[in-house]
């Protein structure tokens, strides 16, 4: 098969169907550029060829968006498995390892060529969560809901999850469902673009506000790190993301913060503040307006409010930071 034929055949395969929407969007461009980078037929390639391509002009001369390069490794991993089943290559595992091994260098090289606005010194001083913005991708809520349900169905088969009590399994589902939808529907980020900055933004600013009152229990928050870890591991097993070790390390590092995200007194204060902002006509998507009104509100509502807000800031529990998002998580009955 020539390059076009093998790409077309791959796109009709079950392995291609397992890729995320974002990965599928870039598949043809990734494979066309990748296969064209070596004049030899794929059957004559070696794993070293993969490394040389990914760290060569493929990374520096294509001038593709960041999401393109993030999608490269999972696309190639699925493609190499497919190529081995077609007897085009003989050791797909070695090719996959070469692609994963070159990933970090490829991303570093490609980032120097991406078109990003220069950062001011003032912005560089802000917390990482202020740098996280929603991507411009099309998302269908119903399709995302079905996809998350399919993830949960598979994760439920993992012994450490299936052995949970009924109550804990319910909380586990709430965690996975909420986080996944915040990532994909809220931030419009497919799993292959998830990173630690996004996890911090979602978990420490957006997760608690979308929970229902009866879900805000210590039992749920105690298993938040576990829920996140099992979701990440599942997505890594399906090649939906490849930086699982980095994400898992972040979860371990922030274990205590994740299990103490919720504070009833602060939540009541937050609810009152949100209502006041609504009455004042504040644009809650505008960070500057939110910060300005928050300071005004604190100055008008006594020492108790000031101490509450200052205490949370001093402890740096990002989960208690002010963030505003309409509740919109879909309702599912899984048990």
């Amino acid at each position: 098969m020539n390059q076009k034929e093998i790409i077309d055949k791959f796109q009709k395969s079950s392995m291609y169907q397992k890729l995320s929407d974002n990965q599928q969007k870039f598949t043809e461009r990734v494979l066309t550029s990748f296969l064209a980078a070596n004049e030899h037929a794929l059957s004559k390639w070696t794993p070293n060829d993969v490394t040389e391509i990914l760290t060569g002009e493929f990374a520096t001369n294509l001038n593709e968006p960041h999401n393109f390069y993030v999608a490269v490794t999972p696309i190639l991993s699925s493609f190499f498995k497919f190529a081995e089943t077609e007897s085009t290559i003989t050791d797909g595992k070695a090719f996959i390892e070469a692609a994963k091994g070159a990933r970090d260098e490829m991303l570093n090289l490609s980032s120097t060529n991406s078109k990003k606005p220069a950062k001011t010194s003032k912005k560089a001083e802000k917390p990482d969560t202020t740098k996280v913005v929603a991507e411009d991708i099309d998302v269908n809520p119903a399709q995302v809901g079905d996809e998350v349900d399919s993830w949960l169905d598979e994760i439920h088969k993992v012994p450490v999850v299936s052995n949970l009590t009924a109550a804990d399994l319910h909380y586990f589902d709430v965690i996975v469902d909420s986080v996944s939808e915040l990532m994909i529907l809220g931030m419009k980020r497919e799993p292959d673009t998830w990173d630690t900055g996004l996890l911090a933004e979602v978990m420490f600013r957006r997760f608690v506000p979308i929970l229902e009152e009866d879900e805000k229990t210590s039992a749920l928050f105690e298993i938040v790190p576990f829920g996140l870890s099992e979701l990440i591991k599942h997505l890594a097993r399906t090649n939906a993301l490849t930086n699982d070790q980095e994400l898992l390390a972040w979860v371990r590092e922030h274990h205590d913060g994740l299990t103490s995200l919720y504070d009833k007194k602060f939540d009541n204060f937050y609810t009152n503040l949100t209502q006041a902002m609504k009455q004042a006509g504040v644009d809650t998507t505008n960070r500057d307006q939110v910060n300005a009104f928050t300071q005004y509100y604190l100055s008008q509502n006594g020492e108790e409010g000031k101490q509450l807000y200052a205490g949370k800031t001093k402890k740096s529990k990002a989960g208690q930071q002010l963030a505003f998002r309409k509740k919109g998580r879909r309702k599912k009955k899984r048990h």
Side-chain angles (χ1 to χ4, degrees):
M1 288 184 289
N2 59 34
Q3 292 179 2
K4 186 178 186 309
E5 289 174 338
I6 194 170
I7 292 173
D8 289 344
K9 192 168 184 179
F10 171 65
Q11 289 180 298
K12 296 175 183 177
S13 71
S14 60
M15 294 178 188
Y16 170 78
Q17 297 302 323
K18 292 179 180 180
L19 296 174
S20 70
D21 290 342
N22 189 61
Q23 292 162 359
Q24 290 182 5
K25 178 177 68 175
F26 290 118
T27 292
E28 186 168 358
R29 280 158 55 189
V30 166
L31 293 180
T32 298
S33 299
F34 178 77
L35 294 175
N38 190 321
E39 61 182 8
H40 300 298
L42 184 58
S43 59
K44 296 182 180 180
W45 285 27
T46 67
N48 189 57
D49 290 322
V50 176
T51 301
E52 290 183 353
I53 291 172
L54 294 182
T55 57
E57 293 184 356
F58 181 88
T60 59
N61 288 7
L62 295 184
N63 200 27
E64 292 280 2
H66 178 66
N67 282 2
F68 172 93
Y69 290 102
V70 171
V72 166
T73 303
I75 289 172
L76 290 182
S77 295
S78 292
F79 175 72
F80 290 144
K81 290 179 181 178
F82 167 78
E84 186 171 17
T85 64
E86 293 291 310
S87 299
T88 306
I89 58 177
T90 58
D91 191 352
K93 184 177 181 180
F95 278 67
I96 292 171
E97 290 303 316
K100 290 182 176 180
R103 179 181 183 275
D104 289 345
E105 185 176 353
M106 175 191 65
L107 291 177
N108 288 334
L109 290 169
S110 66
S111 66
T112 64
N113 209 33
S114 59
K115 297 177 180 178
K116 295 180 181 178
K119 297 178 181 178
T120 63
S121 57
K122 182 178 180 180
K123 185 169 184 176
E125 295 173 357
K126 293 181 180 180
D128 286 345
T129 54
T130 65
K131 303 174 185 176
V132 179
V133 297
E135 298 283 346
D136 183 20
I137 64 170
D138 294 327
V139 288
N140 181 301
Q143 291 180 353
V144 172
D146 290 343
E147 183 175 36
V148 175
D149 282 345
S150 70
W151 294 350
L152 284 168
D153 288 339
E154 291 301 313
I155 297 173
H156 281 186
K157 297 175 184 177
V158 178
V160 70
V161 176
S162 63
N163 288 333
L164 291 173
T165 65
D168 282 348
L169 186 59
H170 168 69
Y171 291 138
F172 179 89
D173 287 355
V174 169
I175 293 165
V176 171
D177 181 56
S178 302
V179 171
S180 299
E181 293 195 358
L182 280 170
M183 297 282 206
I184 303 174
L185 293 177
M187 299 304 291
K188 295 186 177 180
R189 296 278 292 273
E190 292 284 359
D192 57 340
T193 71
W194 294 3
D195 54 30
T196 56
L198 181 65
L199 271 181
E201 171 71 19
V202 166
M203 298 311 302
F204 291 148
R205 295 184 64 83
R206 298 169 184 264
F207 177 68
V208 174
I210 71 165
L211 296 178
E212 300 298 334
E213 286 304 312
D214 61 355
E215 294 169 345
K216 296 176 182 178
T217 69
S218 59
L220 181 145
F221 290 102
E222 285 174 2
I223 64 171
V224 165
F226 174 71
L228 283 177
S229 297
E230 290 306 313
L231 172 61
I232 292 167
K233 290 175 185 178
H234 170 72
L235 295 176
R237 287 193 295 269
T238 60
N239 289 320
L241 57 76
T242 57
N243 59 334
D244 52 301
Q245 293 306 309
E246 177 186 358
L247 298 178
L248 290 171
W250 184 93
V251 174
R252 289 193 295 270
E253 180 183 353
H254 294 86
H255 179 277
D256 291 347
L258 292 170
T259 57
S260 57
L261 284 170
Y262 182 61
D263 184 297
K264 181 64 176 177
K265 291 181 180 179
F266 187 84
D267 191 57
N268 290 337
F269 174 77
Y270 165 87
T271 300
N272 294 335
L273 175 59
T274 302
Q275 184 62 31
M277 285 190 179
K278 182 178 179 180
Q279 293 175 350
V282 174
D283 179 1
T284 57
T285 65
N286 185 306
R287 189 180 298 276
D288 291 336
Q289 286 188 33
V290 168
N291 289 341
F293 187 86
T294 299
Q295 295 304 317
Y296 168 77
Y297 183 86
L298 288 168
S299 71
Q300 298 297 310
N301 286 275
E303 190 64 25
E304 182 178 357
K306 292 180 181 179
Q307 291 178 352
L308 176 64
Y309 184 72
K312 298 304 178 185
T313 303
K314 183 176 180 181
K315 293 180 181 179
S316 299
K317 286 189 178 181
Q320 318 296 346
Q321 294 177 30
L322 300 175
F324 300 88
R325 180 185 184 276
K326 294 180 181 179
K327 291 189 177 184
R329 181 165 57 82
R330 65 199 171 92
K331 295 290 187 178
K332 301 200 310 302
K333 293 183 181 296
R334 299 185 58 85
H335 307 292

